[in-house]
Amino acid sequence: MIETRSQSSTEVELLSFRLAEQEYSVDIMSVREIRGWTRATPLPHSPPFMRGVINLRGTVLPVIDLASRLGMPPVEGDARNVIIVVHAGGQSVGLLVDAVSDILALPRTALQPPPELAADLAHSFVQALTIVDGRMIRVLDLSAVLPTYQTEAA
Amino acid sequence: MTHDPMADIRASFFVECEELLESLQDALSVMADHLEGDGTQDTETINVVFRAVHSIKGGAGAFGLTALVSFAHRFETVMDELRCGRLVVDHEAMKLFFQAADMLADHVRLARNDATGSPPGSETLLLAVEALMGERAPEVEEEVEFAPMGLSFDLALPDLEDLSDTAEAGDAGRGWTVHLRPRDGLYASGNEPFHLLRALADLGTARVTCDLSALPGIEDLQPESACLGWIVQLTGEIEETDIRAVFDFVEDVAEITIAETPEQAGLEALPFLEPEPEPNVVPTGPTAGPPPEPAPFVSAAPISPVTPTLTLLPGASLPAAPAGVTPQEAPTETRADSPAERPAAQPAQTAQAPAEAVAATVRVDLDRIDRLVNLVGELVINQAMLAQSVTEAGLPANSAVMNGLEAFMMLTRDIQDSVMMIRAQPVKPLFQRMARIVREASAAVGKEVRLRSEGEGTEVDKTVIERLADPLTHMIRNAVDHGLETPDRRREAGKPEEGVVTLSAQHRSGRVVIEVADDGAGIDRPRVREIAIRKGLVPPDTVLSDAEIDNLLFLPGFSTATQISALSGRGVGMDVVKQAIGALGGRIAITSERGRGTRFSISLPLTLAVLDGMVVRVAGETLVIPLSSIVETATLAAEDIRSLGPETNVIHIRGGFVPLFDLGTELGYRGPKSSYEGGIVLLTAQEDGSRAALVVDEILEQRQVVIKGLQHGYGNIPGVAAATILGDGQIALILDPGDLVENATGRTRTADPLLALAG
Amino acid sequence: MSLTILAVDDSRTIRDMLKLALTDAGFTLHLAEDGVHGLEVLAGIAPDAIISDINMPRLDGFGFIEAVRGQDRHRGTPILVLTTESAPELKARARAAGATGWIVKPFDPPKLVKALQMVAG
């Protein structure tokens, strides 16, 4: 479990992870926990990036194949993969990724807006870029990744 | 976040109004029953009626709900007449009382929604109700204020000397002389002269002296009778009304004289005190103090002063003499000796009825209950998973772990049952609403109808109750409008003119059964069949059993009304009712006997949070089908399967044809199988009466599952209602067969491409 | 000075409002729902004053006041009657039962506080 820490407004903490040979990250404030891979129960007639739902300690948690969501080939899905449980916009969702890398503490000034590249679908989900140790890390805009919700009435 | 306590109390007031309105209905029903019986009314019941209206008025006044207060007040006035036995309770009066109670409920509702003004017909109804009182015009209530004056608290000692302020020369204001002589009743009512004197002293500058003129000799001294008086000289910006206000509570138990003294009159000029002529008034014996000189009692003429001091002999006790007594003791001692004018009533009147055990209740936010229900659901799931793991670990059945787990599971089950029932409420308020519907409906169509209710205490999940209101209303209206015959026809049939609609609720084998029955003419089956044929709902030559004809009523668009009455013709049919019941996970059945009546029977799950389901396996996935929609299961023989279209099949079962659906295909898990011979099907029934056969690979078990909502923002999944978590931790989707079938393709065959080309 | 008050009224709304008004003024408040309950609660406390409604189930205000007055230690305890009715006959009847004073509903909290201070000291 990741503790949620309060951050000063000049610093930001990111959880970085690998997805299809690239590095992405999310604001750590939205991360609830990290789980090993479990098989998701598929939801019929759902978009291809919806892997299905998993049992998170008795709650039904939807899982998104993040690679597929970003327009890349889907993650295979096996024990090496990791599900990052995030909470944003009042919903909880699991993001299926390759592996978690690190927790980075950066000054906000280190984040730059991404350049305009209309051809790249992944672009619309990236809200900032940053360089750490010579590697480019994309900061995800969770609100773009997560769906707009409707609760299914029981 | 600012928190307004008055807003809380206001909300709580409206909750209390609901309770009061409910008890009002109950009491009126009891009165109505008595009227049918021996005609005598019971006073306590009438008191309940009165108090309900009275309490609503009392609370409403605090929130300035003028329309409600005004209605409640006039209603209460009539109820007061009833309480005093000055009203005759007859059939007509009862009707008006019920209508007035309904109108009161409408007023409450308007007030709760912050609407001003009255519901339509309010004034007319009030006049009709008030007319029951005869020529007595409703009294205009006089507001007589009894609020006492304010006080300051600086004085600590009750010493009279301290109450007298030293006057400064040239004190501004008016001069008053106040004479207070309590009668016995003042002390008997718990009033304390010292407090009155202090209040007076607070008005301005005061000098207080004690008037002993009425003090009898020691041997004649009655410890509890009043024989002391006080004279207070006041100066200040004081009006007579200010002084009068101090005596608000004691005007009737004391003699009080207030006289304005001319400004020049100094504090030395005290009025002479003359008590009313009484025997033995002159103090004898060793009591000090000069004897009073006779003179007129109330006078502003200068009189020789009376010294305020008094020496007490040991053993003598003076009633209510605060002089020189410490503050703490004065109240208790005074009260101990205080003259109790032996109030006429008997002490310690015991309660009339044995103290009823009042069930303690707690009011809880619904959110908290929902959260608790959720958590308990997760507890059950996790515990089932634990049980699974333990079993898989291969522990022997008698081991401590297994036994402990067994106990754990039973405990969890108990907790779950208890929590589920927290949201359960008696159906009584719902049934009372239906009683009102009956009253209004019968009035609208000109029939005399009575509602009988049974099992009002039966408890049902709160959400279920709320969602039952509309379907029940429709059924009740139908019963009154169509089910029951007109008074003439009933008379011809030898039935009592008053029709009876019976509404009942009971728990039966883990479900709630609610029935609406009428003693009317029963279903006119030939006519129903004819209408169904005419509307094209059934083919003309079909042979239908009685039960099948009855069920035609549930088809959409069916209505037997030849004329549009005041109630029907609103486009509400039994199909809507059936859908609503289905949405609750329930079923509805109809039985009818010509000439005797019709009964609708609704069977509902006890709670919406759990579901009785059949757990099946399809294409490697585990699914749950609600038991309430499964009619039967079957294994398919080759001859049962008939082809319909190029890609679809039907099965022949029970003399009819039912479309076949492959759940694996419909849910996108796999394509159609090459053959369904030997396959397992679940035969389901939808709300509209049509049936379907759903192919599954394997039936695992029947069990109760905890319903978990599906949150996923990508739109609804057709056919999937929710999800649950099984013992192995895997998620199983809960299907909605009706929804699934509606959106299904029905593909159970791959079309032969050559045949398709041939056209 | 903090007074201890016993208030008896069958309306929950009125009890809530009394609680709000009197605890704001620093009083210690005990509540009861009707006359019988009031006597039960009274047995365990020593209030400086009592407020009672008239119309209550089980034992009404008149009966309650008479019962209270019948107890030696409460022969002089100030009792204020709190009611919507102000008819003279009712006042007389309350007085006959032993009531100290009278407050009409809807009550004005400051006035109620002053009335209590006036009779309870």
Side-chain angles (χ1 to χ4, degrees):
Chain A
M1 280 289 284
I2 306 286
E3 304 162 14
T4 44
R5 291 174 270 242
S6 56
Q7 301 178 223
S8 65
S9 52
T10 51
E11 264 217 342
V12 69
E13 269 184 290
L14 303 172
L15 174 73
S16 68
F17 53 89
R18 270 206 347 272
L19 190 65
E21 314 304 320
Q22 296 173 359
E23 275 198 81
Y24 290 82
S25 63
V26 287
D27 189 331
I28 207 149
M29 298 289 283
S30 46
V31 176
R32 286 290 169 270
E33 65 183 272
I34 297 175
R35 283 186 60 123
W37 179 85
T38 17
R39 183 192 164 269
T41 304
L43 293 176
H45 308 302
S46 54
F49 52 80
M50 276 294 296
R51 281 298 269 253
V53 286
I54 63 169
N55 169 13
L56 185 71
R57 284 191 310 283
T59 348
V60 174
L61 181 80
V63 174
I64 294 178
D65 181 331
L66 190 56
S68 176
R69 181 78 175 117
L70 299 184
M72 299 183 283
V75 174
E76 278 311 312
D78 60 25
R80 291 171 301 170
N81 295 118
V82 154
I83 296 177
I84 304 176
V85 181
V86 295
H87 189 86
Q91 338 147 21
S92 288
V93 161
L95 304 175
L96 183 62
V97 304
D98 290 346
V100 167
S101 306
D102 210 346
I103 297 176
L104 311 164
L106 305 169
R108 283 193 189 273
T109 47
L111 302 178
Q112 312 160 27
E116 292 287 330
L117 285 171
D120 183 5
L121 180 62
H123 164 78
S124 50
F125 299 105
V126 175
Q127 70 179 21
L129 298 174
T130 190
I131 308 274
V132 172
D133 294 340
R135 304 182 326 265
M136 182 172 83
I137 302 182
R138 300 157 187 77
V139 181
L140 276 183
D141 177 7
L142 271 181
S143 60
V145 173
L146 264 49
T148 44
Y149 261 144
Q150 284 167 301
T151 314
E152 191 75 18
Chain B
M1 187 163 69
T2 50
H3 190 73
D4 178 16
M6 275 309 273
D8 281 349
I9 299 183
R10 186 178 195 272
S12 162
F13 164 67
F14 283 112
V15 172
E16 191 187 358
C17 277
E18 290 305 312
E19 295 165 6
L20 290 168
L21 287 169
E22 186 180 321
S23 68
L24 174 60
Q25 286 290 327
D26 280 349
L28 286 177
S29 299
V30 170
M31 284 177 65
D33 285 344
H34 284 176
L35 191 62
E36 304 295 320
D38 62 4
T40 54
Q41 293 298 341
D42 149 60
T43 33
E44 185 48 32
T45 310
I46 295 183
N47 273 330
V48 171
V49 171
F50 174 84
R51 276 199 303 266
V53 182
H54 174 78
S55 291
I56 292 180
K57 183 186 94 168
F63 297 103
L65 308 169
T66 38
L68 174 56
V69 171
S70 163
F71 181 91
H73 175 66
R74 288 167 72 179
F75 189 9
E76 181 201 42
T77 309
V78 180
M79 292 298 106
D80 199 19
E81 290 294 293
L82 180 68
R83 202 166 59 142
C84 300
R86 290 196 283 262
L87 269 192
V88 170
V89 178
D90 59 7
H91 211 69
E92 186 56 37
M94 278 313 307
K95 245 181 157 170
L96 285 172
F97 293 159
F98 273 114
Q99 285 175 348
D102 289 341
M103 184 62 73
L104 182 63
D106 286 345
H107 271 281
V108 168
R109 206 172 359 105
L110 278 184
R112 178 174 38 216
N113 296 333
D114 290 322
T116 53
S118 306
S122 175
E123 184 61 31
T124 323
L125 178 59
L126 269 178
L127 292 172
V129 176
E130 284 167 341
L132 291 172
M133 298 192 293
E135 281 100 34
R136 270 191 68 166
E139 287 171 28
V140 175
E141 166 152 317
E142 301 152 29
E143 284 300 323
V144 181
E145 267 274 331
F146 259 59
M149 288 288 293
L151 285 182
S152 71
F153 279 78
D154 308 27
L155 307 163
L157 295 177
D159 198 331
L160 273 184
E161 299 278 332
D162 285 352
L163 288 178
S164 305
D165 308 308
T166 42
E168 280 144 26
D171 251 337
R174 306 154 73 174
W176 299 92
T177 305
V178 182
H179 192 169
L180 166 68
R181 244 201 67 196
R183 290 199 287 275
D184 293 353
L186 186 144
Y187 301 101
S189 61
N191 277 294
E192 182 53 59
F194 174 67
H195 298 154
L196 300 168
L197 297 174
R198 192 171 57 183
L200 280 180
D202 278 342
L203 293 176
T205 332
R207 180 168 158 164
V208 183
T209 51
C210 188
D211 167 20
L212 302 165
S213 56
L215 198 61
I218 283 295
E219 61 270 14
D220 299 313
L221 202 56
Q222 304 292 329
E224 295 189 345
S225 61
C227 48
L228 283 184
W230 288 269
I231 306 156
V232 183
Q233 284 251 312
L234 274 179
T235 336
E237 296 290 343
I238 305 165
E239 300 290 327
E240 182 172 342
T241 45
D242 301 332
I243 302 178
R244 285 254 166 242
V246 169
F247 297 114
D248 257 348
F249 288 162
V250 296
E251 271 176 348
D252 57 331
V253 284
E255 279 148 40
I256 301 159
T257 0
I258 304 173
E260 186 155 11
T261 46
E263 282 188 27
Q264 293 78 12
L267 285 173
E268 298 76 33
L270 291 176
F272 184 67
L273 312 156
E274 172 68 53
E276 294 160 3
E278 269 182 36
N280 300 323
V281 112
V282 176
T284 58
T287 52
E293 295 160 14
F297 183 54
V298 181
S299 118
I303 307 156
S304 48
V306 173
T307 58
T309 57
L310 191 66
T311 311
L312 293 180
L313 283 189
S317 62
L318 263 190
V325 183
T326 58
Q328 283 71 29
E329 290 178 301
T332 41
E333 266 181 25
T334 305
R335 281 166 198 149
D337 300 343
S338 176
E341 197 190 47
R342 287 300 165 197
Q346 296 311 309
Q349 179 185 68
T350 51
Q352 293 92 329
E356 305 145 21
V358 180
T361 52
V362 175
R363 281 155 58 219
V364 186
D365 276 338
L366 261 187
D367 287 346
R368 292 189 188 174
I369 296 188
D370 285 345
R371 184 169 146 73
L372 185 60
V373 168
N374 256 340
L375 285 173
V376 170
E378 290 175 23
L379 180 66
V380 169
I381 290 171
N382 275 283
Q383 179 253 315
M385 284 165 60
L386 178 64
Q388 183 104 1
S389 307
V390 170
T391 313
E392 284 166 6
L395 286 167
N398 283 340
S399 62
V401 172
M402 289 304 271
N403 287 335
L405 195 58
E406 189 70 35
F408 186 25
M409 284 170 74
M410 279 177 49
L411 193 55
T412 310
R413 189 56 78 179
D414 278 344
I415 292 180
Q416 188 185 38
D417 286 346
S418 307
V419 166
M420 293 312 180
M421 286 314 278
I422 287 182
R423 289 184 0 162
Q425 290 187 339
V427 291
K428 187 161 115 177
L430 179 63
F431 280 18
Q432 284 190 336
R433 272 168 73 180
M434 294 304 119
R436 179 172 179 176
I437 301 286
V438 166
R439 285 196 289 278
E440 292 171 354
S442 57
V445 296
K447 296 177 185 170
E448 287 286 326
V449 184
R450 186 163 67 91
L451 179 75
R452 236 183 58 198
S453 49
E454 293 166 359
E456 290 181 324
T458 309
E459 293 192 333
V460 174
D461 186 285
K462 184 177 166 65
T463 321
V464 172
I465 290 184
E466 284 162 15
R467 286 162 69 172
L468 263 183
D470 278 349
L472 276 188
T473 305
H474 296 151
M475 284 191 281
I476 298 264
R477 287 209 176 115
N478 277 343
V480 172
D481 202 13
H482 303 305
L484 294 174
E485 318 94 319
T486 59
D488 293 337
R489 299 275 290 278
R490 288 182 69 90
R491 230 179 306 120
E492 283 166 29
K495 288 182 180 173
E497 264 187 46
E498 192 190 48
V500 178
V501 173
T502 308
L503 188 55
S504 67
Q506 62 177 153
H507 288 297
R508 217 191 284 163
S509 40
R511 288 175 78 84
V512 176
V513 177
I514 297 188
E515 298 194 327
V516 181
D518 63 67
D519 67 345
I523 294 181
D524 183 347
R525 293 198 176 96
R527 191 154 146 259
V528 167
R529 183 170 173 277
E530 176 201 317
I531 292 176
I533 293 174
R534 195 164 18 98
K535 295 198 174 202
L537 297 167
V538 292
D541 301 323
T542 355
V543 168
L544 297 166
S545 68
D546 277 354
E548 283 168 336
I549 295 179
D550 292 347
N551 274 297
L552 291 174
L553 287 175
F554 291 120
L555 291 178
F558 195 98
S559 173
T560 55
T562 43
Q563 321 144 280
I564 295 176
S565 74
L567 291 184
S568 63
R570 293 188 194 189
V572 176
M574 289 305 294
D575 60 317
V576 174
V577 170
K578 189 157 184 176
Q579 253 179 12
I581 303 294
L584 286 170
R587 282 180 151 125
I588 181 167
I590 177 172
T591 46
S592 177
E593 197 181 323
R594 196 93 183 94
R596 301 285 304 272
T598 309
R599 178 183 25 233
F600 290 94
S601 188
I602 301 170
S603 154
L604 293 166
L606 269 178
T607 164
L608 297 185
V610 295
L611 174 78
D612 290 317
M614 186 172 286
V615 184
V616 301
R617 194 163 224 102
V618 177
E621 298 292 334
T622 313
L623 304 170
V624 175
I625 322 273
L627 264 173
S628 59
S629 42
I630 300 177
V631 176
E632 65 179 280
T633 61
T635 315
L636 294 177
E639 55 270 19
D640 297 328
I641 309 172
R642 312 288 173 83
S643 57
L644 190 64
E647 291 185 324
T648 54
N649 282 313
V650 294
I651 61 168
H652 187 196
I653 190 165
R654 310 233 166 284
F657 293 97
V658 176
L660 188 69
F661 300 95
D662 183 343
L663 280 184
T665 314
E666 299 306 332
L667 294 173
Y669 297 148
R670 60 150 186 255
K673 298 211 296 205
S674 49
S675 165
Y676 290 97
E677 180 178 346
I680 304 170
V681 286
L682 308 178
L683 194 60
T684 63
Q686 276 78 264
E687 283 77 32
D688 60 359
S690 61
R691 295 173 295 166
L694 306 177
V695 174
V696 300
D697 296 344
E698 196 186 340
I699 295 177
L700 296 177
E701 59 170 338
Q702 279 184 18
R703 51 168 290 194
Q704 212 179 50
V705 298
V706 176
I707 300 176
K708 310 296 289 184
L710 274 178
Q711 290 183 332
H712 58 94
Y714 300 102
N716 298 332
I717 306 177
V720 175
T724 185
I725 301 180
L726 301 171
D728 61 1
Q730 282 297 307
I731 294 182
L733 299 178
I734 300 177
L735 295 190
D736 176 352
D739 195 40
L740 183 98
V741 163
E742 242 178 62
N743 294 288
T745 61
R747 276 180 69 222
T748 45
R749 275 192 6 247
T750 340
D752 186 340
L754 289 177
L755 215 52
L757 276 179
Chain C
M1 157 176 12
S2 170
L3 297 177
T4 303
I5 310 287
L6 166 64
V8 187
D9 194 307
D10 63 330
S11 161
R12 192 172 62 231
T13 306
I14 298 296
R15 289 198 301 272
D16 286 345
M17 286 175 19
L18 285 170
K19 187 155 80 167
L20 187 64
L22 298 181
T23 47
D24 270 359
F27 294 171
T28 308
L29 184 61
H30 297 268
L31 294 168
E33 301 179 350
D34 58 48
V36 173
H37 189 204
L39 291 173
E40 289 166 7
V41 175
L42 183 62
I45 58 176
D48 298 301
I50 300 176
I51 303 175
S52 175
D53 188 16
I54 293 275
N55 289 290
M56 298 186 289
R58 293 207 293 169
L59 183 62
D60 70 7
F62 299 127
F64 172 65
I65 296 174
E66 286 169 8
V68 171
R69 286 281 179 245
Q71 299 180 19
D72 264 356
R73 68 176 183 135
H74 290 302
R75 278 168 56 192
T77 306
I79 305 178
L80 291 185
V81 166
L82 184 71
T83 183
T84 61
E85 304 166 59
S86 53
E89 316 90 64
L90 275 158
K91 287 185 204 153
R93 206 176 146 197
R95 175 69 84 205
T100 308
W102 199 277
I103 295 282
V104 179
K105 286 191 277 199
F107 60 85
D108 176 38
K111 284 190 182 152
L112 176 65
V113 169
K114 283 175 185 165
L116 285 170
Q117 289 165 346
M118 159 81 113
V119 297

